[in-house]
Amino acid sequence: MTTTLPQRRLGRNGPLLSAIGLGCMGMSDFYGKRDEEESLATIAHALDRGLNFLDTADMYGPYLNEQLVGRAIKGRRHEVFIATKFGIVRDPHDPAARGFNGRPEYVRTSVEGSLRRLGVEHIDLYYQHRVDRSVPIEDTVGAMADLVRAGKVRWLGLSEASAATLERACKVHPIAALQSEYSLWTRDIEASGALAMCRRLGVALVPYSPLGRGFLTGAIRSPADFDADDYRRHSPRFQGENFTRNLELVAQVEALAAARGCTPAQLALAWVLAQGDDILPIPGTKRRRYLDENIGALSVTLDAEDLAALDAVFPAGAAAGARYPQAMMSGVNG
Ligand SMILES: NC(=O)c1ccc[n+]([C@@H]2O[C@H](COP(=O)([O-])OP(=O)(O)OC[C@H]3O[C@@H](n4cnc5c(N)ncnc54)[C@H](OP(=O)(O)O)[C@@H]3O)[C@@H](O)[C@H]2O)c1
C-alpha cells in the first residue's frame, strides 16, 4: 500500500515530489557487489512508502541501471517520476575514462535509448550529465527543448553546471533542476554561486551523494571495506591520510547524531534538507533497510542550534582530499 511522504516542488513551476528521492546508481555500478533482487525490492518498497522520485543515468552500468529501473517500475509507471541523464560517454576498454558529448544529434539518439531501456513513453526529467565545453550550451539545451516539444521528455535538468551555464541554459528553455554534489563534506556550490543562481532562477537543487558516497553514515571504517572494483578506492577522500582525517570528522557527526537521537545518515540528510525547501536530495542505496533509515531523516528537524553545532564540527571545506580524481574534476562546474 502506498503511503505519502512530505513533498517538495521541483523548481518554481515544477511538480510536487517526495522530498527525498532514491539514487539507483549503486545498484548497478561503482559501489561493489550487485544484488538485483534486493535492488528491485528496494525500488518497490520506495514506491510503497510514497517515495516517487527515482534517479538513474544511461552511463550507470553502462545501460544496466536504466534496464533495472525499467523492470522495477513495470506496471507502476503512473506512481513514479523518473530522472535520467545523457552526455557522459564511457570507454569499454578503460573504466576510468570519461568523454562528454552535448551535440544535438547525440541528444536525439541518447533519448531513444533511455526510453527503450526504461520501457516508458516519456522521461519525466532529462539531465545533461556533464556540460560539454566544446558545444555551446544553447545548442545542447535547444535539442533537449525539442524533446519536450515532441513529448519525449517533460522537464529539463543540468548536472554540475556552473552558475553562468545555468543562466544561459534558462534563456533557451526553463531548467527545473540542477543536480550537483552537495553534502556536509561537499559544499562547492555555495562558494561557486551555483546554489544562489538556482534560487534566482527558480531552479531546484537535487543534491547527489548527500551521504558522502556512504562515508557520512559512519558505516565505512577502512578502505578495506570496499570491494576490489569499488570506485571509491580511487577517490582522493577515501585514501590514506585523507581517509583517517575524514573519519575523525565523521566521529563528530556520530556524536551529534547520538545526542540528537538519530543516526549519522539521518543527520547528514537532515542537514541537506534544512538548507532550503527547494532542495530534493537523492540518497543512494540498494537495500530496503537503509532506504527506511534514510526516509526517517524526513522526521528529523534541525533548529539553528543543531545547524550551528554541525557547522562547528564540519565547516565548509573541512574534508581532506578532492571529491573526484583529478581527471574527473575537469567535468564539474562546466
Ligand atoms: N550527477 C552525477 O554526476 C552523480 C554522481 C554520483 C551520483 N549521482 C546520483 O546520486 C545518487 C546518490 O549518490 P551516491 O549513491 O553517489 O552517494 P550517497 O547517496 O551519498 O551514498 C550512497 C552509499 O551510501 C550507502 N548508504 C545509503 N544509506 C545508508 C545508510 N542509511 N547507512 C549506511 N550506508 C548507507 C549506500 O550503501 P548500499 O549501496 O550498500 O546500500 C551507498 O554505498 C546516485 O545513486 C546517483 O543516482 C549522480
Side-chain angles (χ1 to χ4, degrees):
M1 197 193 64
T2 302
T3 53
T4 47
L5 294 179
Q7 300 200 316
R8 291 187 172 189
R9 196 169 291 287
L10 188 82
R12 199 175 284 149
N13 303 310
L16 277 171
L17 304 176
S18 53
I20 67 169
L22 173 61
C24 298
M25 177 185 85
M27 295 175 178
S28 307
D29 216 347
F30 302 118
Y31 295 162
K33 277 188 217 51
R34 294 183 201 142
D35 180 345
E36 197 138 301
E37 210 175 305
E38 179 62 16
S39 294
L40 290 169
T42 300
I43 295 176
H45 187 57
L47 300 186
D48 290 345
R49 293 224 40 198
L51 187 158
N52 60 4
F53 181 20
L54 301 183
D55 189 82
T56 180
D58 59 4
M59 67 84 84
Y60 302 157
Y63 309 124
L64 300 176
N65 196 237
E66 284 187 335
Q67 289 166 355
L68 179 85
V69 170
R71 279 203 297 287
I73 62 161
K74 219 167 180 206
R76 303 187 74 171
R77 174 67 182 100
H78 60 287
E79 293 176 57
V80 64
F81 185 93
I82 302 174
T84 191
K85 322 182 190 77
F86 73 92
I88 298 183
V89 185
R90 295 182 65 179
D91 177 349
H93 306 293
D94 179 0
R98 300 281 183 274
F100 306 125
N101 194 337
R103 290 197 292 276
E105 61 274 21
Y106 186 76
V107 176
R108 287 190 284 273
T109 48
S110 296
V111 76
E112 298 302 334
S114 290
L115 287 167
R116 192 180 60 249
R117 287 185 292 274
L118 289 163
V120 297
E121 304 272 309
H122 73 269
I123 290 160
D124 297 298
L125 172 59
Y126 201 38
Y127 292 101
Q128 182 184 22
H129 208 158
R130 287 290 181 274
V131 173
D132 178 351
R133 291 182 167 93
S134 71
V135 178
I137 193 67
E138 289 79 4
D139 294 0
T140 306
V141 174
M144 293 167 75
D146 287 341
L147 302 180
V148 176
R149 287 186 278 272
K152 296 179 183 188
V153 165
R154 290 275 194 272
W155 304 93
L156 301 185
L158 300 179
S159 178
E160 291 286 4
S162 68
T165 302
L166 189 59
E167 189 172 31
R168 283 169 57 190
C170 282
K171 288 186 179 144
V172 179
H173 191 275
I175 300 294
L178 175 72
Q179 182 175 132
S180 289
E181 184 169 354
Y182 190 49
S183 67
L184 269 176
W185 80 349
T186 300
R187 296 171 64 170
D188 308 24
I189 55 168
E190 294 173 3
S192 73
L195 181 55
M197 183 59 80
C198 280
R199 287 179 168 155
R200 187 149 85 67
L201 298 169
V203 174
L205 178 76
V206 175
Y208 75 76
S209 304
L211 297 168
R213 300 182 184 270
F215 197 78
L216 298 169
T217 70
I220 300 168
R221 308 311 300 180
S222 145
D225 289 346
F226 299 133
D227 289 343
D229 62 348
D230 194 306
Y231 153 80
R232 291 168 289 194
R233 281 184 181 270
H234 309 287
S235 172
R237 286 193 180 166
F238 292 89
Q239 287 175 7
E241 181 63 18
N242 290 344
F243 192 104
T244 311
R245 281 171 52 199
N246 289 329
L247 211 48
E248 286 162 15
L249 292 169
V250 169
Q252 312 245 40
V253 177
E254 289 174 309
L256 286 178
R260 196 64 186 61
C262 66
T263 69
Q266 289 170 336
L267 190 61
L269 287 174
W271 179 88
V272 175
L273 288 161
Q275 303 310 307
D277 287 345
D278 50 352
I279 295 183
L280 294 85
I282 47 166
T285 180
K286 46 194 169 205
R287 310 171 206 215
R288 284 169 285 184
R289 183 163 59 88
Y290 286 166
L291 177 79
D292 282 331
E293 182 182 334
N294 298 344
I295 286 175
L298 292 168
S299 311
V300 178
T301 314
L302 303 181
D303 61 21
E305 210 177 305
D306 297 319
L307 291 169
L310 267 168
D311 236 2
V313 301
F314 219 134
R323 63 190 176 103
Y324 276 112
Q326 187 54 38
M328 290 188 194
M329 277 307 279
S330 65
V332 302
N333 208 26

